[in-house]
Amino acid sequence: MAVAYERIADELREAIRAGQLKPGDRLLSEAKLAEKYRKSVPTIRDALRLLRDEGLVEKEHGRGTFVRRPRTKVSRTNTRHQWEKDRARDPEENQAKTGAQAKTGATEHDTELTVNDLVFHSSYREVEASEEIARAFGVDEGTPLVERTCRTRYAAEDAPCNLVTSYLVREMVAANPDLLDETGEPWPGGTQNQLHTVGIELDRIEEHVTARPPTPEEAEELGLPHGTAVLILRKTAYDTSGRVVEMSVITLPGDRTEMLFTTPLERW
């Protein structure tokens, strides 16, 4: 038999799912809910904590508890890489416009939003290759790299779709100074078009996916409900000679990310 706080959570949950409490609505104060349900404030807090853990409500300090607005869903498929490669050699004017909508790269592709719906932030800096990264790139430890940190969010939300940190070998891309300049982001055509400008064609992309609890910093930046895991996607891009030309670590929020893998099978 459900205990008191579970019954209260059940009733509030049903009101949210039925639309009686809509995204952005503020719930009654803890004291008012305690009065309504004739239970103690600690019991109300347990009920609200349960709903927060499910991602249905969120507490704003000094304002109260609100029905959580659904975040934009991101569907990431492995077909996105061929889609990006097919566009890598397009003229710049075609990169910024796809069909009737202005779209640039894979984020727009994954979210079905236009570039005008999104807010971008990128920062570049030069770093030295660690032992692990140097081994993956096949270069000496300490080799200069371009570290690129990118955040993209839906303009109506305050949390990014994911957290991206990627690496390029500086010497490999220095022939195009624009690839060292963060002000060129978002780059029409994405990374494959960037690499194409210095004569690099990708042959394959390997993606390794693991899951873990978020760090406190990741949970705060991504706006994750308590108990939500993150997916860590480590992407390695190889050129047609088998050389590693780009590496990325992408942290994806588990509450709004779908990963779809389509594998064509040869016919008998």
Side-chain angles (χ1 to χ4, degrees):
M1 183 175 179
V3 296
Y5 79 88
E6 291 175 330
R7 291 195 298 272
I8 295 168
D10 287 344
E11 185 171 324
L12 292 171
R13 186 187 299 108
E14 181 57 34
I16 292 170
R17 290 176 175 170
Q20 297 165 2
L21 288 170
K22 296 180 173 55
D25 283 355
R26 181 165 56 186
L27 274 61
L28 293 174
S29 68
E30 293 176 355
K32 290 288 187 183
L33 287 171
E35 182 180 332
K36 175 181 177 180
Y37 290 104
R38 298 182 180 180
K39 298 295 179 184
S40 67
V41 169
T43 298
I44 297 300
R45 287 175 179 164
D46 286 341
L48 295 179
R49 186 179 301 113
L50 186 60
L51 296 177
R52 284 199 303 273
D53 289 350
E54 295 173 11
L56 293 176
V57 302
E58 55 190 356
K59 187 171 184 176
E60 297 184 16
H61 183 69
R63 297 193 61 215
T65 300
F66 295 79
V67 178
R68 189 168 184 259
R69 298 180 187 277
R71 303 287 190 181
T72 300
K73 295 289 184 182
V74 177
S75 179
R76 185 183 179 96
T77 78
N78 59 328
T79 61
R80 73 202 301 270
H81 305 304
Q82 185 61 54
W83 174 84
E84 188 177 336
K85 183 171 183 178
D86 290 342
R87 302 175 67 237
R89 294 182 295 172
D90 281 356
E92 185 174 341
E93 59 270 20
N94 291 343
Q95 297 284 358
K97 294 182 179 180
T98 301
Q101 293 181 318
K103 293 188 175 184
T104 55
T107 298
E108 294 87 325
H109 180 264
D110 293 348
T111 60
E112 298 187 349
L113 297 171
T114 72
V115 67
N116 296 324
D117 295 323
L118 298 170
V119 177
F120 301 88
H121 175 75
S122 297
S123 62
Y124 288 13
R125 64 174 183 151
E126 185 172 311
V127 299
E128 295 183 352
S130 65
E131 180 182 358
E132 179 184 2
I133 294 178
R135 184 167 56 248
F137 272 112
V139 299
D140 294 333
E141 187 175 350
T143 296
L145 305 175
V146 181
E147 180 186 80
R148 311 185 298 174
T149 301
C150 299
R151 303 287 187 267
T152 304
R153 65 175 175 84
Y154 179 31
E157 298 174 357
D158 57 4
C161 301
N162 50 46
L163 313 177
V164 181
T165 302
S166 65
Y167 299 92
L168 300 168
V169 176
R170 190 184 191 285
E171 183 181 2
M172 199 181 295
V173 297
N176 183 354
D178 290 343
L179 301 188
L180 310 176
D181 183 1
E182 64 193 38
T183 63
E185 297 286 357
W187 185 282
T191 299
Q192 292 203 49
N193 177 259
Q194 290 178 319
L195 295 173
H196 171 65
T197 67
V198 290
I200 295 174
E201 177 188 356
L202 295 193
D203 174 71
R204 71 186 190 278
I205 293 173
E206 293 181 356
E207 295 181 300
H208 298 257
V209 182
T210 56
R212 61 164 171 77
T215 65
E217 295 78 13
E218 290 167 342
E220 181 178 2
E221 187 170 4
L222 290 169
L224 297 177
H226 178 73
T228 302
V230 291
L231 301 172
I232 306 299
L233 188 152
R234 291 175 172 84
K235 179 170 75 78
T236 306
Y238 296 81
D239 71 2
T240 53
S241 70
R243 176 181 58 167
V244 173
V245 293
E246 190 255 353
M247 295 178 60
S248 299
V249 179
I250 304 163
T251 304
L252 302 152
D255 65 329
R256 52 190 185 272
T257 301
E258 174 188 70
M259 303 195 75
L260 172 64
F261 300 95
T262 303
T263 306
L265 301 177
E266 293 184 7
R267 297 190 180 186
W268 290 333

